[in-house]
Amino acid sequence: MADPQEKLTYNGKDVPVYRAGMPEVFVALQPPQAQPYIMAPTGMHPDDIVQFFAAHIPEMEELQADMRKRFAKGSYGKCRYQTGDVAYVMGRPFQLRVHPLGKANMKAAARGRATAKYSLNPNVSLLTLFVVHPKNYDEAKLAFNSYAHDVILRNATGLVRDFSAVLTPGQEPPTVRMRDMRDKWTSTDAGALWISTDITPYPPDCLVYVILRELRKTATIPEADVDAHCARILPGWEAAKRTLSERPEPYCLQ
């Protein structure tokens, strides 16, 4: 993350405030010490940020206990998606809370997925996963990925539809799918636009960039119009391209 320009004081320690061009504000925790920090919209008044943080201190303190307990047992480098871990979707951190379910709940899970259900608390960036198999943390990882990939696919499908209407007017947009891919972010195969699962933790601009780059290969409008549309939709495309080429660790993505 870039150096914060603002900070609050909580429990005798500084709480950094980072600004970004987004509509929401949230509290998140930095592992392994569970140090809180705040992400806030660029134009949000400092007094409103203070009030937001104060209102969510009880929830945050509860999550701090989860994270500290988790990191007291093992190193982050061996993350198995347990309660207290942090995972990213489109550049945003979510602390995980994993509730294993017994065999009686197996029917509630979608076939091929580990998640029976989930709940989201955006204010403190908490994602609760209800997982089919108890004491199987690979299933917890699968549960998170099934949630994360659903988020990516819904966003990507909307982007492909909107961009195709401009770049290839009159043609049906391709179906969007995800799969593991080595050394590439997108590909087109059998009428589908495939997106690498590796895109999951990166910010939204990165998703927009790889989709525009793939769709422009089949654009039917003049090249100058394609360039103008891309520049208008994603003025920060150079930053997105650099992020994807450098593949920074998720904690550097804010």
Side-chain angles (χ1 to χ4, degrees):
M1 296 186 203
D3 291 336
Q5 301 299 313
E6 304 162 82
K7 61 185 179 182
L8 307 179
T9 300
Y10 157 75
N11 203 20
K13 295 182 179 180
D14 291 337
V15 178
V17 178
Y18 299 91
R19 300 281 190 162
M22 58 184 189
E24 70 234 8
V25 57
F26 61 86
V27 181
L29 299 174
Q30 183 86 13
Q33 292 85 11
Q35 171 66 28
Y37 63 94
I38 301 169
M39 295 296 298
T42 303
M44 189 173 187
H45 194 280
D47 289 347
D48 294 333
I49 296 176
V50 171
Q51 292 177 15
F52 178 87
F53 180 75
H56 297 287
I57 285 176
E59 296 165 285
M60 183 199 69
E61 290 180 338
E62 184 181 358
L63 294 181
Q64 283 182 311
D66 282 344
M67 183 178 287
R68 287 167 178 160
K69 182 178 179 181
R70 159 72 178 98
F71 280 85
K73 293 182 177 180
S75 66
Y76 179 72
K78 299 179 179 179
C79 170
R80 293 188 298 173
Y81 292 89
Q82 301 180 51
T83 292
D85 282 331
V86 174
Y88 278 69
V89 184
M90 298 183 74
R92 174 164 176 171
F94 289 93
Q95 183 165 331
L96 302 185
R97 197 171 263 175
V98 180
H99 289 288
L101 302 176
K103 292 183 179 180
N105 300 95
M106 287 285 287
K107 294 180 180 179
R111 190 172 189 180
R113 295 187 175 189
T115 313
K117 59 180 179 177
Y118 65 85
S119 66
L120 190 65
N121 183 337
N123 294 324
V124 291
S125 219
L126 170 67
L127 176 62
T128 303
L129 301 172
F130 297 88
V131 182
V132 172
H133 301 300
K135 298 181 181 178
N136 184 335
Y137 294 109
D138 286 336
E139 291 292 337
K141 181 176 180 179
L142 178 60
F144 169 73
N145 286 337
S146 68
Y147 164 80
H149 295 170
D150 183 59
V151 172
I152 299 295
L153 279 173
R154 281 190 280 112
N155 281 273
T157 298
L159 290 169
V160 168
R161 182 187 61 244
D162 294 343
F163 297 161
S164 295
V166 175
L167 301 181
T168 55
Q171 297 183 19
E172 283 294 316
T175 301
V176 183
R177 294 175 179 165
M178 294 188 74
R179 66 184 177 192
D180 294 336
M181 290 193 285
R182 184 175 297 177
D183 300 327
K184 63 172 70 173
W185 295 105
T186 57
S187 66
T188 301
D189 182 25
L193 191 158
W194 294 87
I195 298 176
S196 171
T197 54
D198 289 347
I199 200 74
T200 299
Y202 291 92
D205 279 0
C206 293
L207 180 64
V208 176
Y209 170 74
V210 298
I211 289 174
L212 280 171
R213 188 181 63 178
E214 188 68 29
L215 288 178
R216 73 177 298 151
K217 296 177 183 178
T218 56
T220 58
I221 63 175
E223 187 71 16
D225 292 346
V226 174
D227 290 339
H229 180 68
C230 293
R232 183 172 62 254
I233 293 297
L234 191 61
W237 68 269
E238 290 178 314
K241 179 181 179 181
R242 184 168 57 252
T243 296
L244 292 174
S245 65
E246 294 174 354
R247 288 180 178 259
E249 291 298 316
Y251 293 110
C252 302
L253 296 179
Q254 296 294 348

